[in-house]
Amino acid sequence: MSTATATKVLTDRINRIEVSATMAITAEALKMKAAGIDLADFGAGEPHFSTPQHIKAAAIEAIEKNFTRYTAVAGIPEVRKAIVDRHAADFGTNYAVDECVFTAGGKLAIFNAVEVLVEHGDEVIVPVPYWVSYKDIIEFAGGKPVFVETSEAENFRVTPQMIADAITEKTKAIILNFPSNPSGAVMAKEDLYGIVKLAHERGVYVLLDECYVYLSFNGDLVSGASVAEAKAHVIVLGSLSKTYAMTGWRAGFALGPKQIIGAMSKLQSQSTSNTASMVQHASIAALTASQECVVEMRKDYVKLRDRVLEGFQSIPGLTCTVPEGAFYVYPNISKFIGKSGIKSASDLASKLLTEAHVVTVPGEPFGTTEHVRLSYAVSADVIDKGVARIREYLAKL
Ligand SMILES: Cc1ncc(COP(=O)(O)O)c(C=O)c1O
C-alpha cells in the first residue's frame, strides 16, 4: 500500500496547457446564442460553406457499402495515395505512400509530429503572431517555444535571417503557417524556400502547417516541401478542414521522412487508431475530384475580405493589414486601449461580445496585444451587420 500523503490528481504536463482560446470564445458565444441573443459571429475559424455534395455522397456510399470497420492505422493506401498525388500535382513533391499518415484533423498531425520530435528542453521556433495551439502543443511535449517577433508594418514578414538569429544548439524545429491564422499574411516564396534550405543546413526540422495553403489569393500556390534537397527536414502538416469545408469530419495528414511518419503512426496506433473509415472515402473524393469547388470558395473569400476591409475604412482609428490568404483579418486596435477603461485586446473583445454582440478573438493567445481576429467566413450580411456594430461601439468609447 502506498504511504504517499499528498495525492496529486493531474499530471504536470496537463497543467502546462490551457483550453484552446478560440474554443473558449466559441463556447461563450454559443451560450449567448442559446439565450436568444443575435450575434455577429466572427469567432469560429471555419468555412461557412457546406461540404460539397460529391464529398458527402462518397461518405454515404462508403457507409451503405458497410465500409465501417477498422482500417490500417495510418489510413487505407487509397487515401494516402490520393494525398501524395494531390500534393505532387499541386507542388511538384514526390512523397511515397509510406511517407504519409492520415490523421483525425490537421491539429492531430501537428500534435503527433511535435510529440515524436520534441524532447524535454528542445526549442521550437514560432513566428509571431502564431496559431493559438502551437504554444500548448510544444509545451505539452516538454519543449520550449521560442517566439520570433515580426513587424506589422512589413505585413508580418518572416525572413531567413530572422530565423537564423533565433536558432541555437537546442533548436529542434520551426513551425511555419502561411497563409497565416490569425493575420492572413502570406510568405514570399524566396523567404519560405530560404528558411527551408537554412533549416536543412542546420539540421532543424521545418513543420509546415499547410492548413490554408489552398486559400492563397495571389494565384500562386506555394509549399516549402517543393524544396526537394531539404526533404529530410520537412514535414508537411495538412488539413482538409478549410480547403473543402470539412471541419467537422476531422481529416488531416502528415507527409515527411518515413522514420518520422512511422513514429507518428505508432503513436496513433496507441491513441486514436485510424480516422473514421467513411471519412477516408470522403477525403479520397475531395482530393481526386475536380478542384473547382476550392476555386469557387476562394473567389468568395476574396470578395468577403474586400467587404470587411472596405467596412473597416469607415472606422476611424482602426488600421488593418491586407490579408493575402486564409479567411481572417487582424485589425490593430491599439488606438482604443486606454479609452473608456478598455485595458487590453482581451478586454475589448469581451466588451464587443457583451455590449455590441460581436464575436471576435483577442490577439493575446496569438502572441500580440494590440489586435483582435475576425474570421470573415460568414455571409455578406453578417459582415455588414458586424462592422456597423463595431463602428458604433468604438465611436462611443
Ligand atoms: C493554422 C491552423 N493549423 C491547423 C488547424 C487545424 O485544423 P483541423 O484540425 O481542423 O484540420 C487550424 C484550425 O483552425 C489552423 O487554423
Side-chain angles (χ1 to χ4, degrees):
M1 276 258 295
S2 165
T3 53
T5 44
T7 313
K8 196 172 102 180
V9 178
L10 299 175
T11 60
D12 290 342
R13 63 182 177 280
I14 193 65
N15 284 330
R16 279 200 291 272
I17 67 172
E18 306 283 340
V19 174
S20 164
T22 39
M23 289 189 179
I25 298 255
T26 311
E28 185 54 36
L30 275 176
K31 263 196 236 157
M32 289 177 70
K33 274 186 200 165
I37 298 171
D38 165 49
L39 296 178
D41 190 349
F42 301 106
E46 65 178 338
H48 58 307
F49 300 111
S50 303
T51 305
Q53 193 53 39
H54 65 283
I55 301 175
K56 294 196 267 194
I60 293 165
E61 191 187 333
I63 295 171
E64 296 292 359
K65 288 187 172 161
N66 293 316
F67 191 78
T68 52
R69 302 185 168 216
Y70 291 134
T71 72
V73 166
I76 56 175
E78 295 86 337
V79 76
R80 290 190 282 156
K81 184 162 180 345
I83 291 164
V84 301
D85 286 352
R86 177 85 270 139
H87 213 267
D90 297 333
F91 305 108
T93 50
N94 68 340
Y95 287 100
V97 165
D98 59 6
E99 292 173 314
C100 173
V101 56
F102 191 66
T103 58
K107 188 186 265 185
L108 188 63
I110 300 167
F111 185 89
N112 286 354
V114 170
E115 281 295 316
V116 306
L117 285 173
V118 175
E119 203 65 271
H120 274 264
D122 282 352
E123 294 178 356
V124 181
I125 297 175
V126 182
V128 179
Y130 48 82
W131 182 47
V132 285
S133 291
Y134 299 148
K135 179 177 173 293
D136 298 87
I137 288 175
I138 295 164
E139 287 176 347
F140 190 74
K144 179 173 172 251
V146 173
F147 300 114
V148 169
E149 294 299 330
T150 58
S151 156
E152 185 172 358
E154 290 191 51
N155 232 334
F156 305 107
R157 183 177 174 201
V158 186
T159 64
Q161 189 57 53
M162 290 159 80
I163 299 299
D165 291 345
I167 293 178
T168 71
E169 75 238 7
K170 290 194 179 152
T171 308
K172 187 65 187 278
I174 303 164
I175 300 192
L176 295 177
N177 164 232
F178 294 92
S180 154
N181 177 5
S183 72
V186 169
M187 251 182 129
K189 199 191 258 182
E190 311 75 65
D191 287 337
L192 177 60
Y193 287 8
I195 291 173
V196 170
K197 285 179 195 162
L198 166 83
H200 177 59
E201 281 159 23
R202 303 288 293 269
V204 169
Y205 289 94
V206 190
L207 306 183
L208 295 172
D209 179 350
E210 296 195 343
C211 189
Y212 300 94
V213 77
Y214 290 102
L215 298 181
S216 185
F217 302 152
N218 57 16
D220 203 9
L221 299 183
V222 180
S223 168
S226 304
V227 185
E229 71 265 31
K231 198 175 170 188
H233 286 103
V234 169
I235 298 138
V236 173
L237 303 160
S239 169
L240 279 71
S241 287
K242 324 284 170 150
T243 316
Y244 303 105
M246 288 178 73
T247 45
W249 297 71
R250 312 314 298 131
F253 60 88
L255 297 168
K258 214 165 140 182
Q259 184 190 14
I260 296 170
I261 296 299
M264 291 173 68
S265 303
K266 178 165 78 171
L267 178 57
Q268 191 157 291
S269 81
Q270 298 295 5
S271 54
T272 56
S273 293
N274 63 271
T275 294
S277 50
M278 60 294 294
V279 170
Q280 297 187 42
H281 273 285
S283 300
I284 294 170
L287 294 157
T288 59
S290 156
Q291 300 296 291
E292 199 45 38
C293 58
V294 182
V295 176
E296 289 305 316
M297 289 191 264
R298 189 162 55 219
K299 277 189 202 152
D300 273 5
Y301 289 132
V302 175
K303 283 191 209 146
L304 294 168
R305 174 200 63 178
D306 292 345
R307 200 175 184 107
V308 185
L309 291 177
E310 203 185 309
F312 280 176
Q313 275 171 13
S314 68
I315 306 181
L318 198 73
T319 56
C320 192
T321 53
V322 176
E324 290 164 346
F327 41 66
Y328 306 103
V329 277
Y330 203 49
N332 186 308
I333 47 83
S334 54
K335 294 255 162 57
F336 303 96
I337 295 178
K339 279 193 176 176
S340 307
I342 303 275
K343 289 190 281 297
S344 60
S346 290
D347 197 20
L348 180 63
S350 129
K351 291 199 165 110
L352 279 170
L353 178 61
T354 53
E355 293 177 32
H357 295 168
V358 176
V359 188
T360 62
V361 183
E364 287 94 338
F366 301 103
T368 73
T369 53
E370 302 190 328
H371 303 86
V372 292
R373 188 199 76 176
L374 283 76
S375 163
Y376 55 79
V378 295
S379 69
D381 288 349
V382 172
I383 290 180
D384 295 347
K385 177 171 74 177
V387 169
R389 287 181 187 178
I390 296 171
R391 184 189 309 120
E392 204 178 307
Y393 178 75
L394 294 179
K396 282 195 298 211
L397 291 179

